[in-house]
Amino acid sequence: MTSRKILIVTYYWPPSGGVGVQRWMNFALQLKEKEWEPIILTPENPQFEIKDETLVGKVKDIQTCKLPIWEPFQLFHNLTGNQERSHIQQGLVMEKSNKTVRDKLAVWIRGNLLLPDPRVFWVKKATNFAVEFIKKEGVSTVITTGPPHSMHLIGRNIKNKTHVKWLADFRDPWSKWDILSKLNTTSLAMNVHEYLERSVLKQADKVTTVSPRLAKALGNVEVLNNGVSASASESITADESHFTLGYFGMLNELRNPSKLWMLLDQMCRESPYFASRLKIKIGGIVSSSIKDDLLKLQELKNKVQFLGYLSHEALQLEYQKCNLLLLLLNKSNNSRWILPVKFFEYLAAKRMILCLGHRESDLGDIMNKKDFGEIFSYNQIQSIRGFIEDIFENKREPSLEHLKSILTRFSHRNLVEKLEELLFKLHVH
């Protein structure tokens, strides 16, 4: 290997908040510690929905190159009449029950004309910059991470114009992304997605993804799991005066646990003691229809607290204030492939986890027979009830032995060793 300089092309970088930024922010920090030189190429003016200024200080020592990006969100504002907003919150137009003609047109345009995603207009500018930068700085490796998967098109272009080695990292599916059906994607547009995806998988020198099942779906590529940072926040005790169920993340129709809400409402009606102690905290972006439905439940409406978006630092504290953490996977086959960042963050909080999704999944493979939580389908109401009652009555607590084992296995410090192996293999001829 001639250089330890690595150009990482990512749309999400501090001050971007949410889970999208965590994976490569932490890998870049770990690579820096191991005397690699990660250099970030990211948009100067991205239209991400949530910001977390507290993350900026963490990456102050990592060289960052920022280029202006044009994104077609003004088109959506014009079509949907959302002129007063700087951006459209993810998925909310798609989920409106009574879509106007303009709403439907906006969704169709997003699903069929902006391929592979609305960030595609940055590809040419980023490619031209990266090619010159690589030649000037002697960069030996490029890493692209998607979604947005247009970042991989930048990597493909760089690969075709230089002799640099290229690793393409898939944090989520591409052509099998479960949102595409909600975007009314036509067969023609699907063919484009599949063609672009195949070209990336074929031309990249290495491809990584987050879980074994997704690796198999992509064609037996390398697994580089999501992980957890060793720098967890100070341990605090949950509020003993309440039984707090916490959910943190996007809450939309793809993962709405409507039967769980009704179950909790019923448990409150049946047990005044349970009702007196139950508190529900929800942090993150919440679909207005779900919020409305929750507030219609007589027993729950005064027990739900919507926290809105929280910084990553504040999230770590909120996790620990809960007695039980709720993890929701999409109601689709995609959820069998996903090992979400949120799961590892929940583990670090050392609280029991109630997960709704597929038991026969990559997440199930980790959770099954481990005493730090359970994974149920959305319809297993009686089993879910029994689990909640056990936690409420203090019959089950997380096994510190199991937690330590998983947290060590999936620490960024350990995972970066696998990443280093892959980087060295890239340059073995």
Side-chain angles (χ1 to χ4, degrees):
M1 179 179 288
T2 58
S3 168
R4 293 176 71 88
K5 292 183 177 181
I6 304 170
L7 184 65
I8 301 174
V9 183
T10 176
Y11 182 82
Y12 296 106
W13 191 252
S16 170
V19 295
V21 72
Q22 290 296 319
R23 179 172 169 85
W24 281 99
M25 181 186 76
N26 283 292
F27 280 143
L29 290 170
Q30 290 296 323
L31 287 169
K32 183 83 171 177
E33 280 192 17
K34 287 183 168 286
E35 298 184 347
W36 294 82
E37 190 176 342
I39 303 162
I40 308 303
L41 176 57
T42 195
E44 182 178 73
N45 52 321
Q47 292 276 346
F48 39 65
E49 297 162 345
I50 46 182
K51 292 186 177 183
D52 186 347
E53 298 291 346
T54 67
L55 299 179
V56 175
K58 291 186 176 183
V59 297
K60 60 181 172 49
D61 294 327
I62 295 180
Q63 182 180 349
T64 304
C65 304
K66 296 187 175 184
L67 294 177
I69 185 174
W70 180 83
E71 300 181 59
F73 286 99
Q74 187 58 45
L75 171 65
F76 286 90
H77 302 321
N78 292 339
L79 288 173
T80 61
N82 252 343
Q83 294 296 328
E84 76 283 1
R85 299 173 59 176
S86 62
H87 60 268
I88 296 177
Q89 287 189 341
Q90 182 179 342
L92 298 192
V93 172
M94 284 191 294
E95 291 191 0
K96 288 170 67 175
S97 56
N98 297 313
K99 294 186 184 68
T100 65
V101 172
R102 291 197 298 180
D103 288 336
K104 292 176 180 178
L105 179 58
V107 170
W108 188 90
I109 290 173
R110 165 62 185 89
N112 294 280
L113 298 184
L114 303 177
L115 302 177
D117 51 66
R119 281 81 188 203
V120 69
F121 300 100
W122 196 57
V123 170
K124 183 177 180 180
K125 178 177 294 198
T127 299
N128 292 340
F129 173 87
V131 168
E132 292 303 315
F133 185 86
I134 287 165
K135 292 176 181 177
K136 179 181 177 182
E137 297 293 328
V139 173
S140 63
T141 309
V142 168
I143 297 174
T144 57
T145 177
H149 294 300
S150 52
M151 300 301 104
H152 297 314
L153 302 187
I154 298 168
R156 187 187 65 176
N157 291 351
I158 294 170
K159 177 68 179 177
N160 290 335
K161 294 183 178 184
T162 70
H163 298 294
V164 74
K165 296 295 183 179
W166 170 35
L167 185 153
D169 179 63
F170 285 69
R171 302 192 316 275
D172 283 311
W174 185 339
S175 64
K176 293 182 173 60
W177 187 35
D178 48 17
I179 299 295
L180 291 179
S181 61
K182 284 185 168 288
L183 293 172
N184 297 324
T185 306
T186 63
S187 58
L188 179 60
M190 278 303 304
N191 288 339
V192 174
H193 279 297
E194 290 167 358
Y195 168 77
L196 293 174
E197 181 181 44
R198 283 195 306 271
S199 72
V200 168
L201 293 171
K202 180 179 179 180
Q203 294 182 48
D205 296 290
K206 286 285 183 185
V207 179
T208 55
T209 193
V210 298
S211 69
R213 283 177 173 82
L214 183 50
K216 186 176 180 180
L218 290 170
N220 292 313
V221 304
E222 297 277 359
V223 176
L224 181 64
N225 295 115
N226 285 321
V228 62
S229 174
S231 58
S233 57
E234 182 181 350
S235 180
I236 62 174
T237 304
D239 180 4
E240 295 182 359
S241 64
H242 290 94
F243 177 73
T244 304
L245 172 68
Y247 174 76
F248 303 90
M250 171 76 70
L251 186 52
N252 55 23
E253 290 301 332
L254 272 175
R255 58 183 72 160
N256 179 21
S258 53
K259 292 183 179 178
L260 172 63
W261 305 137
M262 289 187 285
L263 169 64
L264 292 170
D265 191 70
Q266 178 184 343
M267 291 173 71
C268 287
R269 291 197 304 271
E270 294 175 357
S271 170
Y273 179 59
F274 181 79
S276 69
R277 295 195 58 206
L278 179 65
K279 180 189 289 186
I280 300 172
K281 289 187 175 184
I282 299 177
I285 298 173
V286 182
S287 171
S288 58
S289 61
I290 294 176
K291 188 178 290 188
D292 291 344
D293 289 345
L294 265 170
L295 296 178
K296 289 176 184 176
L297 296 171
Q298 292 302 310
E299 293 293 333
L300 292 193
K301 64 181 181 181
N302 295 321
K303 304 181 187 304
V304 180
Q305 183 180 2
F306 296 101
L307 303 177
Y309 175 72
L310 299 168
S311 71
H312 193 252
E313 185 176 333
L315 271 178
Q316 312 310 305
L317 294 176
E318 286 297 337
Y319 296 156
Q320 295 184 74
K321 292 177 184 177
C322 297
N323 304 92
L324 180 60
L325 291 167
L326 178 62
L327 181 63
L328 302 174
L329 303 183
N330 285 358
K331 300 174 186 177
S332 70
N333 283 330
N334 277 190
S335 67
R336 297 180 187 273
W337 306 339
I338 303 303
L339 285 175
V341 172
K342 192 68 62 181
F343 167 66
F344 298 105
E345 292 186 351
Y346 279 5
L347 285 178
K350 299 181 174 62
R351 297 291 182 265
M352 292 296 280
I353 301 171
L354 168 59
C355 178
L356 301 186
H358 290 285
R359 188 173 180 84
E360 299 298 321
S361 62
D362 284 307
L363 184 56
D365 290 346
I366 296 177
M367 292 190 70
N368 296 340
K369 300 181 181 179
K370 297 289 193 306
D371 206 1
F372 46 70
E374 295 279 357
I375 182 168
F376 304 99
S377 77
Y378 279 79
N379 296 319
Q380 289 181 281
I381 298 304
Q382 290 309 309
S383 297
I384 294 170
R385 177 170 185 150
F387 178 75
I388 293 173
E389 289 173 343
D390 282 350
I391 307 303
F392 180 71
E393 296 167 8
N394 296 316
K395 293 180 179 178
R396 292 183 63 177
E397 293 183 352
S399 162
L400 295 182
E401 179 185 355
H402 288 166
L403 280 172
K404 182 179 179 181
S405 172
I406 297 297
L407 289 172
T408 300
R409 176 183 166 192
F410 291 100
S411 70
H412 287 120
R413 195 175 299 278
N414 278 350
L415 292 172
V416 78
E417 293 181 5
K418 170 69 178 290
L419 177 55
E420 277 195 297
E421 288 179 17
L422 294 174
L423 293 173
F424 284 124
K425 288 179 181 177
L426 279 175
H427 294 271
V428 175
H429 297 285

